[in-house]
């Protein structure tokens, strides 16, 4: 009697990859991790589940609505929605054991219950770096974080032919000082900044202008806000305001918050490669824990993915967990957001075989020898080795070796065991040679190194 079978499809917004695609994604992840390590960041890991009060201490608005929240016994729990807030909790918890400035990286899954679409998942990988210190953190660490992100994205772009990219850099103090200058209350400022942050999501510039004008409500302030969006960085000059607005912005010299934001932005831009970085004050970041430098990264050949990397400075994120004064700056690359769609569309392929060597024992009497050789290869070489234990004809097992794209096959029969001579087949050229077990290891090592 047949039973109704359970639907095995994954939930919307969650991803499963086939082995070859997973291999490609893991290769990308390892490149990012190694680049972070080489830049002096050390690995940590934090729990996927946190107490809700930890995550909601600073998060709010749309972010809070997207959090996966549940109860277990008397515990109010949530899945982490990013890696930065758990990191702030981590620093507060282990404050006495860390050496500051502390530079960490973490690559892990995070969860947001937003609408699933191409490049937008509910479970996805982020690859974060952060630098935190006590009391003060040099603006040069903002430069270091952004430079590391540029180096990482550049390496990935070159490896997979993703084309040019730009890191758009801004500073939230500039907008904080601007709105304070005109007495704009906090609620209207937050709403206006949210519109500015979504500037590139509007269909037209007119749509953006109309909504921002309506929110600000004052034509003069609106016009100055639009002019502020046009400032740029000029090498050996600094931040440049549009010439016909010089007098309009004379108040900056008496606005300490805005002045500090511009000075910090100039310093950051001074040390970044202008081929990859540019000033764009429409970047203000939606998460409300950023207090200074903010940035987002866009691939020019793939505008549909939006920002593929972002981050910024946070001065008070640990305040909810400790009385210690801890400030930080960080950046994150959305690995899933960018690379999973490109892998699934076949735009990214990894030519490296998933297996270097496959060992093919021809019957059960050869299994012990196969395992011995596999273990010896694992110990003496840096190779990926697997064996196939199947009661099938050699032809079928060789077909399997081709399907998994093995570089070499070691064929072991009873005669080979008696004579201590084993057949090594180059799966690319089809060439076969016979070697003793000692010579086999040497030949494989030399071939793979070559």
């Amino acid at each position: 009697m047949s039973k109704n079978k359970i639907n095995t499809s994954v939930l919307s917004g969650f991803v499963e990859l086939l082995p070859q695609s997973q291999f490609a994604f893991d290769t990308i992840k390892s490149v990012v991790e190694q680049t972070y390590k080489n830049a002096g960041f050390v690995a940590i890991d934090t729990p996927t589940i946190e107490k809700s009060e930890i995550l909601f201490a600073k998060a709010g608005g749309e972010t809070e609505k997207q959090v996966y929240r549940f109860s277990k016994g008397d515990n109010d729990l949530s899945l982490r929605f990013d890696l930065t807030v758990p990191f702030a909790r981590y620093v507060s918890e282990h404050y006495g054991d860390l050496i500051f400035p502390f530079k960490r990286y973490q690559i892990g899954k995070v969860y947001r219950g937003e609408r699933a679409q191409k490049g937008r998942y509910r479970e996805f990988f982020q690859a974060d770096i952060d630098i935190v210190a006590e009391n003060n953190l040099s603006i040069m660490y903002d430069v270091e974080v952004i430079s590391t992100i540029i180096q990482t994205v550049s390496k990935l772009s070159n490896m997979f032919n993703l084309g040019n990219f730009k890191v758009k850099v801004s500073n939230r103090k500039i907008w904080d000082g601007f709105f304070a200058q005109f007495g704009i209350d906090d609620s209207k400022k937050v709403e206006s900044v949210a519109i500015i942050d979504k500037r590139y999501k509007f269909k037209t510039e007119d749509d953006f202008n109309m909504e921002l004008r309506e929110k600000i409500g004052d034509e003069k302030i609106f016009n100055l806000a639009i002019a502020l969006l046009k400032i740029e960085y000029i090498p050996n000059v600094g931040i440049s305001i549009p010439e016909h607005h010089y007098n309009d912005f004379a108040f900056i010299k008496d606005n300490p918050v805005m002045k500090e934001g511009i000075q910090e932005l100039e310093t950051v831009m001074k040390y970044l490669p202008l081929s990859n970085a540019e000033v764009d004050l429409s970047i203000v970041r939606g998460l409300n824990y950023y207090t200074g430098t903010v940035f987002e990264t866009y691939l020019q050949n793939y505008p549909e993915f939006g920002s593929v990397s972002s981050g910024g400075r946070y001065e008070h994120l640990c305040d909810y967990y400790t009385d210690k004064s801890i400030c930080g700056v960080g950046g994150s690359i959305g690995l899933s957001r960018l690379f999973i769609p490109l892998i699934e569309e076949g735009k990214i392929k990894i030519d490296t075989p998933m297996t270097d060597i496959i060992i093919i024992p021809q019957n059960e009497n050869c299994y012990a020898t196969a395992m011995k050789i596999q273990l010896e290869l694992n110990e003496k070489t840096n190779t990926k080795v697997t064996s196939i234990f199947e009661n099938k004809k050699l032809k079928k097992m060789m077909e399997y070796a081709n399907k998994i794209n093995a570089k070499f096959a070691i064929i072991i029969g009873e005669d080979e065991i008696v004579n201590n001579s084993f057949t090594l087949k180059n799966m690319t050229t089809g060439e076969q040679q016979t070697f003793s077990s000692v010579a086999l290891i040497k030949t494989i090592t030399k071939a793979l190194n070559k």
Side-chain angles (χ1 to χ4, degrees), residues 49-114:
I49 300 173
E50 296 273 5
K51 291 182 286 188
S52 294
E53 62 183 314
I54 294 290
L55 299 184
F56 293 157
K58 189 65 176 174
E62 290 301 314
T63 301
E64 187 169 332
K65 294 176 184 177
Q66 295 170 1
V67 172
Y68 284 100
R69 188 173 185 176
F70 58 95
S71 297
K72 181 67 174 176
D74 295 331
N75 296 313
D76 181 7
L77 307 171
S78 294
L79 298 180
R80 63 191 183 197
F81 63 85
D82 74 358
L83 298 176
T84 305
V85 174
F87 175 57
R89 194 261 317 143
Y90 177 96
V91 172
S92 303
E93 176 70 14
H94 303 287
Y95 173 85
D97 299 312
L98 299 177
I99 301 172
F100 295 100
F102 177 53
K103 301 170 63 174
R104 72 93 187 187
Y105 79 86
Q106 183 176 358
I107 301 175
K109 288 183 176 180
V110 298
Y111 300 84
R112 295 183 192 175
E114 58 185 351

Side-chain angles (χ1 to χ4, degrees), residues 242-284:
E243 187 174 351
H244 57 286
H245 284 288
Y246 283 167
N247 294 332
D248 295 329
F249 286 101
F251 63 83
I252 291 177
K253 66 179 183 298
D254 299 315
N255 186 313
V257 176
M258 203 170 178
K259 188 176 180 180
E260 184 177 26
I262 289 175
Q263 289 173 342
E264 289 180 354
L265 184 56
E266 284 182 333
T267 301
V268 170
M269 292 302 300
K270 178 181 177 181
Y271 293 99
L272 293 179
L274 298 185
S275 57
N276 295 116
E278 66 183 19
V279 165
D280 188 336
L281 290 197
S282 62
I283 305 301
V284 288

